[in-house]
């Protein structure tokens, strides 16, 4: 159900319906070790390849292990309806999407740093900006939201509609942010081609320079 290579390409991880995640040597195709206890196919390497995170338990926790040995580093628990997770660029933090919430953790200690509220339905996708200062989330509420990764404060919403039918976004016709002070949101102009989604947002990503999402 899921396959991911380590950043250096020397190993890859596979996750299957058998509730196992296996780490393989990419050159010899031999198994290095196995991570047990998965209930969904969610598994990812940290950007530097030193850690591997996998969904575990009954879909309510994330186990972070040393990718070289398989030794457990920490477990992030209490994540009802866990759906996604993503490492920060430096690998020191990990964001988890569960139910309508986003929680950011210290990936080395398992300490919770902040929990973010704002989505109205399940969060399905997460990504950090290249500088690690922002995190973007996509949800079944058809809205993409960008947050401050340190404080959890909302920076802006993409694709959200106000009660007056106006679509919220990042840019005005000059390519600059325009904020409606009464609504505390960003207004999209009719000339801007970005429109709201009609269904769940299942994948989000920053551009390489972090300027676009």
């Amino acid at each position: 159900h899921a396959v991911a290579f380590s950043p250096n390409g020397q190993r890859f991880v596979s996750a299957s319906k058998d509730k196992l995640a296996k780490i393989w040597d990419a050159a010899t195709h031999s198994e290095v070790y196995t991570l047990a206890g998965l209930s969904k196919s969610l598994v990812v390497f940290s950007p530097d390849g030193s850690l591997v995170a996998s969904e575990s338990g009954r879909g309510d926790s994330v186990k972070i292990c040393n990718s070289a040995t398989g030794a457990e580093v920490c477990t992030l628990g209490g994540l009802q309806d866990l759906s996604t997770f993503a490492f920060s660029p430096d690998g020191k933090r990990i964001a988890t999407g569960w139910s309508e919430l986003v929680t950011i953790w210290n990936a080395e200690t398992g300490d919770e740093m902040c929990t973010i509220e704002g989505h109205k339905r399940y969060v399905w996708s997460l990504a950090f900006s290249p500088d690690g200062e922002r995190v973007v989330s996509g949800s079944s509420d058809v809205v993409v939201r960008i947050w401050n990764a340190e404080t959890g404060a909302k920076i802006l919403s993409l694709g959200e509609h106000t009660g007056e039918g106006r679509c919220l976004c990042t840019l005005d016709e000059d390519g600059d942010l325009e904020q409606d002070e009464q609504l505390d949101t960003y207004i999209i102009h009719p000339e801007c081609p970005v429109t709201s989604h009609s269904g769940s947002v299942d994948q989000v990503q920053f551009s390489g320079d972090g300027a676009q999402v």
Side-chain angles (χ1 to χ4, degrees):
H1 276 205
V3 176
F5 273 93
S6 62
N8 63 12
Q10 295 179 1
R11 292 184 177 184
F12 65 92
V13 58
S14 61
S16 172
K17 280 186 176 180
D18 61 8
K19 298 184 179 181
L20 299 176
K22 294 180 179 291
I23 307 295
W24 308 85
D25 185 292
T28 65
H29 300 167
S30 59
E31 181 181 334
V32 181
Y33 60 83
T34 297
L35 299 174
L38 279 73
S39 61
K40 297 177 184 175
S41 299
L42 297 175
V43 61
V44 65
F45 280 97
S46 62
D48 66 358
S50 65
L51 301 173
V52 61
S54 60
E55 178 276 335
S56 62
R58 298 182 177 181
D60 59 359
S61 61
V62 175
K63 182 183 293 185
I64 300 177
C65 298
N66 182 302
S67 65
T69 65
E72 182 176 339
V73 175
C74 63
T75 295
L76 317 176
L79 304 174
Q80 182 179 1
D81 297 319
L82 175 69
S83 55
T84 186
F85 46 83
F87 278 102
S88 62
D90 61 7
K92 294 182 178 180
R93 292 168 293 162
I94 186 170
T96 56
W98 57 289
S99 298
E100 303 165 359
L101 305 173
V102 175
T103 300
I104 298 177
W105 312 77
N106 183 310
E108 299 171 338
T109 65
D111 293 334
E112 181 180 331
M113 300 178 69
C114 66
T115 291
I116 301 169
E117 301 181 19
H119 282 291
K120 299 176 182 177
R121 299 182 68 182
Y122 282 0
V123 174
W124 288 111
S125 184
L126 292 168
F128 279 88
S129 60
D131 60 9
E133 295 182 357
R134 293 159 292 159
V135 63
V136 59
S137 57
S139 167
S140 294
D141 62 10
V142 307
V143 177
V144 175
R145 300 181 191 274
I146 301 177
W147 315 89
N148 182 302
E150 294 291 337
T151 66
K154 188 178 78 171
I155 297 174
L156 54 90
S157 298
L158 309 175
E160 187 176 21
H161 286 279
T162 70
E164 298 174 354
R166 289 183 289 180
C167 182
L168 312 183
C169 193
T170 55
L171 305 175
D172 64 15
E173 66 269 27
D174 298 318
D176 298 320
L177 288 172
E178 179 179 356
Q179 185 174 18
D180 185 311
E181 295 181 357
Q182 292 183 335
L183 297 174
D184 192 26
T185 53
Y186 294 88
I187 304 302
I188 184 172
H189 282 252
E191 295 83 359
C192 183
V194 179
T195 58
S196 61
H197 290 280
S198 58
S200 175
V201 180
D202 298 335
Q203 186 65 46
V204 291
Q205 189 66 52
F206 278 95
S207 60
D209 60 4
Q212 302 181 70
V213 63

